[in-house]
Amino acid sequence: EAIAKSKSYAIAVGGSAGVCTMLANAAGPLMQLYFLSVRMPKFEFIGTLAWLFLIINLCKVPVAFSLGIVHLPALYLTVMLAPFIVLGVIIAKAIVGIISQQLFEWLVLAFAAVAAFRMILVYKQGKFSTTSVGNLAVLPQNWLVWGGDAKTLA
């Protein structure tokens, strides 16, 4: 527990998460495991994770545009889906409010394991790229990938 609370551990995890999020959009499981290791309460955990990735992803938008990874149709889709964030927050707050801290931590570990397994599986299939790791990723020439099925944005 002393290691989890050390400054060098936080810097190492933060740096690793920065690399993971830029290269593969895959820092979520790493940060979740870090927050569990420092025994963060469930609402603080979710709030910190949400703010962290909001700030990180906003910083990545100009870089993604300049590299040609994200195009305007993807941002249009994001804006169109944004109202559902409010609905998600309301539902999540209700669910998290009724589950115990112990169940919350178990679910976080389970989902982190699933995410890690999925990344390994994608890598082993030879489909690994900076846009194939997430469930929803936008590729050049307005291709939208959702769970591996590609469709063009019209």
Side-chain angles (χ1 to χ4, degrees):
E1 196 166 316
I3 293 173
K5 303 249 179 189
S6 73
K7 188 175 182 179
S8 58
Y9 177 66
I11 291 170
V13 171
S16 298
V19 171
C20 287
T21 195
M22 196 59 213
L23 294 179
N25 224 11
L30 180 62
M31 292 309 300
Q32 290 168 352
L33 295 175
Y34 171 74
F35 290 157
L36 285 178
S37 73
V38 296
R39 306 266 185 225
M40 194 173 280
K42 59 187 178 180
F43 281 108
E44 188 178 325
F45 180 108
I46 292 170
T48 305
L49 204 60
W51 277 106
L52 172 72
F53 284 110
L54 173 68
I55 293 166
I56 287 173
N57 288 326
L58 285 176
C59 292
K60 288 181 355 183
V61 168
V63 176
F65 261 111
S66 69
L67 294 174
I69 296 170
V70 175
H71 299 276
L72 286 179
L75 287 183
Y76 176 74
L77 178 63
T78 301
V79 170
M80 296 301 294
L81 295 174
F84 293 100
I85 293 171
V86 175
L87 180 62
V89 167
I90 292 167
I91 293 170
K93 189 173 181 182
I95 292 170
V96 172
I98 62 173
I99 65 173
S100 68
Q101 180 72 27
Q102 184 178 8
L103 177 58
F104 175 80
E105 291 174 3
W106 183 88
L107 289 170
V108 168
L109 286 172
F111 285 122
V114 168
F117 178 73
R118 184 172 185 272
M119 284 186 258
I120 292 168
L121 185 63
V122 167
Y123 178 77
K124 289 287 186 185
Q125 291 175 347
K127 298 178 183 176
F128 187 80
S129 72
T130 59
T131 54
S132 67
V133 175
N135 286 334
L136 180 64
V138 179
L139 299 171
Q141 293 133 6
N142 300 332
W143 281 82
L144 181 68
V145 175
W146 189 299
D149 299 321
K151 299 178 180 150
T152 57
L153 289 174

